[in-house]
Amino acid sequence: MTVNLYSDTQTRPTPAMRRAIAEAPVGDEQRGEDPSVNALCERVAALLGKEAAMFLPSGTMCNEIALAVHCRPGDEVLADVTSHLIHFEAGGPGALAGVLIKTLPGTRGVFTAADVDGAARGGGRHAPRQRLVSLENTSNGGGGTVWPLATVAAVAAAARRRGLAVHMDGARLMNAVVASGTPAAAYGAHCDSIWIDLTKGLGCPVGAVLAGSRAFIDEAWYLKHRWGGAMRQAGILAAAGLHALDHHVDRLAEDHANARRLAEGLAALPGVAIDLAAVATNIVYLDVAGTGIAAPEIVGRLAAEGVVLGAFDDRTIRAVTHLDVDRAGIDRAVAAFAVAVSGPR
Ligand SMILES: *Cc1c(COP(=O)(O)O)cnc(C)c1O
């Protein structure tokens, strides 16, 4: 059996989730008549402490719609230099919302109120208008970092002092919630818009839910329609989300324990460097420069043994734990890694 640590995007729906999908009551989602979608939106709005929520095909669409609702073309968004918005959404912020992004120099994806203050522009009509601060929790590029609630509160307060709205990219928000014990709604209280992915840690095949005020979601609906994200009998997807919220949240703690076990096992290998203090949730970044073997070569050797990882560049490998990887799989991955890095240079 393959041990797939490439990404938590690679999970397959469990048999129980497939049953929930098969039995889902459905209707016309665009008309607000799909009971499963409606139940999911109510549930996620409550979870995140917001008035309303909207079901969307992907987290990317949540981010892009949120930017376009908060901003007008030519406005500026503040976001961490590693953020998904900048690197992995195919230029969407520029192409769809027409915004500029000013990067903030966070630590492992987490920036501070001082960074927000430091990004302020002088007044006048020469400068782009700043509208929004975007936070990613957990930070993917930062290595699965959890935003401390106090930091979110301080950043949000700094944003409000300057009239900026606050958006949270919560692709892995439930990982942050389980790892920190901070309720999702406590994060939500500081944000004007916030979303969770149903894929990734929650293990669904499709979907994400964006939440905010009633007025924000009403406006977001125009873009959902305009960009082709309004669906029909989407309840078969929402049912998976409801199932995941019932059964796949608490178990994220297992993914975090597996990531730690993996990190500790790999850090003990010669030439492999891991910042163990930085392993907070389900993502592990490894620096393999010390092995004298290029990261893509190591990844190739492991793939031949049925252990799948991703090389980011010549020295960096990323491993992500999830629903489809158990503790035995972690031990197999560590054993295979030990063989791979002791092979020819
Ligand atoms: C995966 C991811 C997204 C995009 O979500 P999709 O559902 O894959 O479109 C956005 N932000 C972060 C931090 C992510 O990891």
Side-chain angles (χ1 to χ4, degrees):
M1 252 237 337
T2 301
V3 181
N4 189 344
L5 295 163
Y6 181 83
S7 174
D8 52 6
T9 56
Q10 309 243 326
T11 56
R12 312 279 168 90
T14 61
M17 181 179 280
R18 285 173 186 268
R19 274 196 299 280
I21 289 170
E23 291 162 9
V26 297
D28 189 343
E29 190 251 13
Q30 294 193 2
R31 295 176 54 83
E33 292 170 357
D34 188 300
S36 301
V37 171
N38 293 346
L40 177 67
C41 289
E42 276 169 33
R43 174 113 181 236
V44 174
L47 176 71
L48 302 179
K50 293 291 164 204
E51 280 174 2
M54 189 171 72
F55 186 48
L56 287 168
S58 70
T60 300
M61 200 179 268
C62 294
N63 272 342
E64 297 301 331
I65 286 181
L67 293 187
V69 172
H70 289 301
C71 305
R72 284 189 288 165
D75 288 346
E76 188 168 65
V77 175
L78 307 182
D80 184 76
V81 66
T82 64
S83 60
H84 194 279
L85 275 179
I86 298 173
H87 300 286
F88 303 113
E89 299 185 13
L96 299 171
V99 295
L100 292 100
I101 299 183
K102 186 166 194 177
T103 57
L104 302 182
T107 303
R108 297 199 285 261
V110 176
F111 51 83
T112 63
D115 292 324
V116 173
D117 289 335
R121 292 182 179 275
R125 290 174 290 190
H126 302 290
R129 239 188 308 234
Q130 291 186 345
R131 290 278 188 191
L132 182 69
V133 179
S134 179
L135 291 65
E136 199 178 292
N137 191 19
T138 66
S139 163
N140 180 1
T145 331
V146 176
W147 275 75
L149 186 61
T151 310
V152 176
V155 161
R160 309 246 183 264
R161 279 196 292 277
R162 302 224 320 276
L164 310 183
V166 178
H167 171 70
M168 184 173 281
D169 171 339
R172 296 187 180 81
L173 179 64
M174 299 318 290
N175 293 86
V177 166
V178 168
S180 67
T182 303
Y187 285 119
H190 295 291
C191 303
D192 299 287
S193 51
I194 178 168
W195 61 271
I196 57 169
D197 241 328
L198 302 175
T199 63
K200 304 189 175 164
L202 296 187
C204 296
V206 182
V209 184
L210 173 65
S213 67
R214 172 67 57 194
F216 172 87
I217 293 297
D218 284 349
E219 200 58 34
W221 262 100
Y222 282 92
L223 295 170
K224 177 171 153 94
H225 274 285
R226 187 175 302 160
W227 292 347
M231 294 175 275
R232 299 299 185 188
Q233 288 69 36
I236 59 167
L237 304 174
L242 288 165
H243 177 86
L245 290 171
D246 285 336
H247 301 287
H248 293 175
V249 174
D250 293 343
R251 64 151 307 284
L252 291 170
E254 288 171 38
D255 297 346
H256 301 166
N258 283 336
R260 174 132 307 268
R261 186 176 178 86
L262 179 74
E264 286 172 357
L266 296 180
L269 301 178
V272 178
I274 299 175
D275 181 357
L276 289 175
V279 179
T281 51
N282 69 329
I283 300 177
V284 182
Y285 280 96
L286 300 65
D287 181 344
V288 295
T291 64
I293 309 170
E297 169 65 22
I298 293 175
V299 165
R301 290 179 190 179
L302 287 164
E305 299 302 316
V307 175
V308 183
L309 296 135
F312 265 47
D313 54 35
D314 245 31
R315 61 187 295 169
T316 313
I317 293 174
R318 189 185 76 161
V320 186
T321 58
H322 53 79
L323 190 60
D324 288 352
V325 177
D326 60 11
R327 192 177 147 125
I330 295 297
D331 293 346
R332 244 194 76 198
V334 173
F337 215 101
V339 174
V341 297
S342 62
R345 256 102 278 235

